[in-house]
């Protein structure tokens, strides 16, 4: 097997650290480039002793600081990802998905490196088509609290498009739907981390709106397998893939499941207003990923949640 050297931007974050684990487990080399704006060194602490792993603290809106003998793949995952994270770091979010993407695409153009851009289901906004296929153009507010994220991901996608069509860069885009698992940052306000930690601490759980809004949750190991397929399979240049789990649930039902699995039957509900522009329904159409990549998620929500709850339980 050919040993691949990958740069994982955002490799000290939730998804990125699992991708680093996966690549190293296959015997590949990894350079994690991260400025730790929302990531944590402890997410990659266990990799420090691995000879095939390097960490470089760097903001990817600037050119990569290191000269490498060879880089085969760049996975561009760097970007705040949770509503709290990208609203707090809104300008940084716009820059990493625009300037950061441009810098990395230029690198790939000069060195013939394969590129993968981690986009998001948020490019569909609050969708009016359900489930969402890659061909759907979306229903996005360009001028609101989520715009820094949604619109900068859309701009990142346009930059990828131009580099493919003008410069023949071997690039592809994945649109990630809500993903969860161990290392999901406890403090970034996402529904999975909020509800689990509230249940484990015996605090009331925060339910935004009436809980009828839906999401579809994908376990992180499933996502990572899809990321790998999207870059390593033949005929993926220029393609976009939805990666997510199509099992859709209302947030109310999701909260009941978390309460059941945490064994916190006495948990009270703390109703809070629905955030501005919070999408009403979200569910990926993954038929393209199934057909082209031979990929589909394997871990049911209950099983993934059990593993995630165990991970938090050890830390609380
Ligand atoms: P995360 O916040 O845990 O990780 C993002 C990482 O990027 C962090 O380690 C952060 O420090 C780093 N980073 C941010 N700006 C940077 C910069 N300018 N230079 C270098 N490093 C920088 O988020 P995550 O959940 O792991 O998300 C990873 C990627 O997946 C993001 O691009 C996100 O938009 C995308 N995504 C994630 C989800 C999800 O459910 N987790 C859903 C859709 C899309
Ligand atoms: N949510 C909730 N309680 C929380 C956090 C989030 O009810 O403590 C809701 C939120 O309004 C949204 C859904 O859960 O409808 C998913 O929110 P998250 O921030 O995890 O992801 P995103 O909105 O980006 O899909």
């Amino acid at each position: 097997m050919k040993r691949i050297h990958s740069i994982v931007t955002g490799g000290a974050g939730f998804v990125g650290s699992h991708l680093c684990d996966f690549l190293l487990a296959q015997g590949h080399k990894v350079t994690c480039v991260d400025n730790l704006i929302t990531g944590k060194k402890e997410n990659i602490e266990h990799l420090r002793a691995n000879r095939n792993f390097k960490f470089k603290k760097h903001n990817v809106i600037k050119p990569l600081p290191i000269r490498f003998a060879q880089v085969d793949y760049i996975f561009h995952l760097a970007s705040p990802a949770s509503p709290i994270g990208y609203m707090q770091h809104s300008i940084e979010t716009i820059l990493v998905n625009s300037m950061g993407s441009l810098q990395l695409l230029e690198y790939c153009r000069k060195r013939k490196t394969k590129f993968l851009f981690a986009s998001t289901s948020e490019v569909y906004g609050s969708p009016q088509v359900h489930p969402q296929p890659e061909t759907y153009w979306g229903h996005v507010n360009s001028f609101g609290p989520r715009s820094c994220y949604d619109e900068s991901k859309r701009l990142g996608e346009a930059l990828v498009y131009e580099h493919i069509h003008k410069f023949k860069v071997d690039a592809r885009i994945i649109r990630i739907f809500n993903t969860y698992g161990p290392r999901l940052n406890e403090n970034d306000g996402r529904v999975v981390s909020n509800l689990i930690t509230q249940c484990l601490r015996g605090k009331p759980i925060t339910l935004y709106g009436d809980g009828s809004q839906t999401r579809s949750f994908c376990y992180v190991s499933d996502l990572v397998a899809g990321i790998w397929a999207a870059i390593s399979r033949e005929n993926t240049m220029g393609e976009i893939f939805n990666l997510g789990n199509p099992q859709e649930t209302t947030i109310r039902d999701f909260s009941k499941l978390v309460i059941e699995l945490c064994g916190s039957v006495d948990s009270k509900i703390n109703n809070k207003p629905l955030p501005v522009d919070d999408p009403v329904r979200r569910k990926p159409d993954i038929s393209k990923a199934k057909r082209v990549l031979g990929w589909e998620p394997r871990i049911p929500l209950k099983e993934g949640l059990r593993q995630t709850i165990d991970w938090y339980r050890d830390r609380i």
Side-chain angles (χ1 to χ4, degrees), residues 51-111:
R51 285 188 302 118
N52 289 328
F53 180 76
K54 283 199 175 51
F55 170 70
K56 182 75 194 163
K57 188 166 180 216
H58 173 71
N59 185 337
V60 298
I61 72 169
K62 299 191 186 121
L64 288 173
I66 341 161
R67 287 200 172 276
F68 302 101
Q70 168 228 349
V71 180
D72 301 291
Y73 298 167
I74 292 185
F75 297 89
H76 182 27
L77 270 61
S79 168
S82 68
I84 284 193
Y86 61 69
M87 288 181 203
Q88 186 183 354
H89 304 291
S90 52
I91 305 296
E92 292 88 342
T93 301
I94 292 172
L95 290 176
V96 72
N97 288 306
S98 54
M99 279 305 298
S101 299
L102 182 61
Q103 290 289 0
L104 294 162
L105 282 159
E106 286 297 300
Y107 183 99
C108 292
R109 171 186 172 187
K110 287 178 195 143
R111 293 171 184 79

Side-chain angles (χ1 to χ4, degrees), residues 83 122 146 178 189-191 194-195 206-208 213 215 251 274-275 278 282:
E122 290 279 332
R146 293 176 94 104
N178 296 64
R190 287 188 246 201
V191 70
N194 270 8
L195 267 50
T206 48
L207 190 64
Y208 301 165
Q213 70 273 31
R215 293 294 186 272
I251 295 301
L274 196 66
D278 197 277
R282 185 183 288 153

